[in-house]
Amino acid sequence: MTTIADLRARMRIDLQDPDGDRWSDAALERHLRRAIAELSRAAPREERVTLATSPGSRELDLSGIAGLIGVDRAEYPSGSEPPAFRQFTVYGAVLRLEDGPLPDGSPARLWCRLVHEADASGCTLPAALEDVAVLGATAFAAAEAASGTLEQLTLNPGTAAGYASLARERETAFRQLLRELGGRGRLRAGRVRVEAAG
């Protein structure tokens, strides 16, 4: 399984910094986390999350769902066949079920979009998106180098311009891939209301 160390190593190859002379691990991880966060908005991790309801309340607290981007479907009660999808609204960290039976404390299931994660134990990005994350992260690292914010300085006058060119090229490609990923059709059933034919 790919880890954040594997992604960092791929960044170092692309940035021609295999020994870590120019970027610290912490700096590369910061750029990776930014790229993964941006990538997650276009191609999020999709997961079903089960939450307990409160008897007599239609409101669910979403604050405990780490990395939540959005909710696409709400199922209550959970486990019905076919699934009992409900209309809902979200305001801040509260989801309100707008129809169906009044909750009695039994669980609801939410179909969520979440931010991807990468750490020492693994990465939730599909293999096909790992290169996209590395592409974006190297663009951000090169932009930082071009702006002269790195602690280490160089006497090579062409370095800043070279990093600026690399940053522009990679960020353009990264943004294009995000647009393509974000343009793919996704079912968003949360607020769909079907009117009966009259």
Side-chain angles (χ1 to χ4, degrees), residues 116-158:
H116 286 281
E117 298 173 353
D119 57 27
S121 62
C123 177
T124 62
L125 285 168
L129 296 182
E130 290 174 5
D131 286 337
V132 179
V134 169
L135 177 69
T138 54
F140 301 147
E144 179 185 57
S147 69
T149 59
L150 288 178
E151 292 177 8
Q152 296 179 354
L153 299 177
T154 178
L155 298 177
N156 182 349

Side-chain angles (χ1 to χ4, degrees), residues 47-195:
E47 193 170 303
R48 287 180 283 187
V49 176
T50 300
L51 289 180
T53 62
S54 298
S57 173
R58 291 188 175 278
E59 294 186 349
L60 296 171
D61 180 9
L62 303 177
S63 62
I65 304 176
L68 180 66
I69 296 171
V71 178
D72 293 329
R73 295 179 177 184
E75 181 185 351
Y76 182 79
S78 65
S80 299
E81 193 56 50
F85 293 121
R86 304 297 175 192
Q87 297 295 320
F88 65 90
T89 54
V90 175
Y91 186 76
V94 176
L95 180 143
R96 178 179 168 78
L97 298 169
E98 299 293 351
D99 63 358
L102 193 64
D104 60 5
S106 57
R109 183 180 297 156
L110 306 180
W111 303 51
C112 300
R113 285 171 283 129
L114 305 170
V115 174
H116 286 281
E117 298 173 353
D119 57 27
S121 62
C123 177
T124 62
L125 285 168
L129 296 182
E130 290 174 5
D131 286 337
V132 179
V134 169
L135 177 69
T138 54
F140 301 147
E144 179 185 57
S147 69
T149 59
L150 288 178
E151 292 177 8
Q152 296 179 354
L153 299 177
T154 178
L155 298 177
N156 182 349
T159 300
Y163 280 128
S165 175
L166 179 66
R168 279 191 305 274
E169 172 188 309
R170 288 180 167 264
E171 187 162 2
T172 298
F174 180 62
R175 300 287 172 211
Q176 178 61 37
L177 287 167
L178 293 187
R179 281 191 294 277
E180 290 173 12
L181 288 166
R184 292 182 182 167
R186 280 192 141 76
L187 178 61
R188 299 287 184 236
R191 292 173 181 71
V192 174
R193 296 192 185 273
V194 179
E195 300 293 332

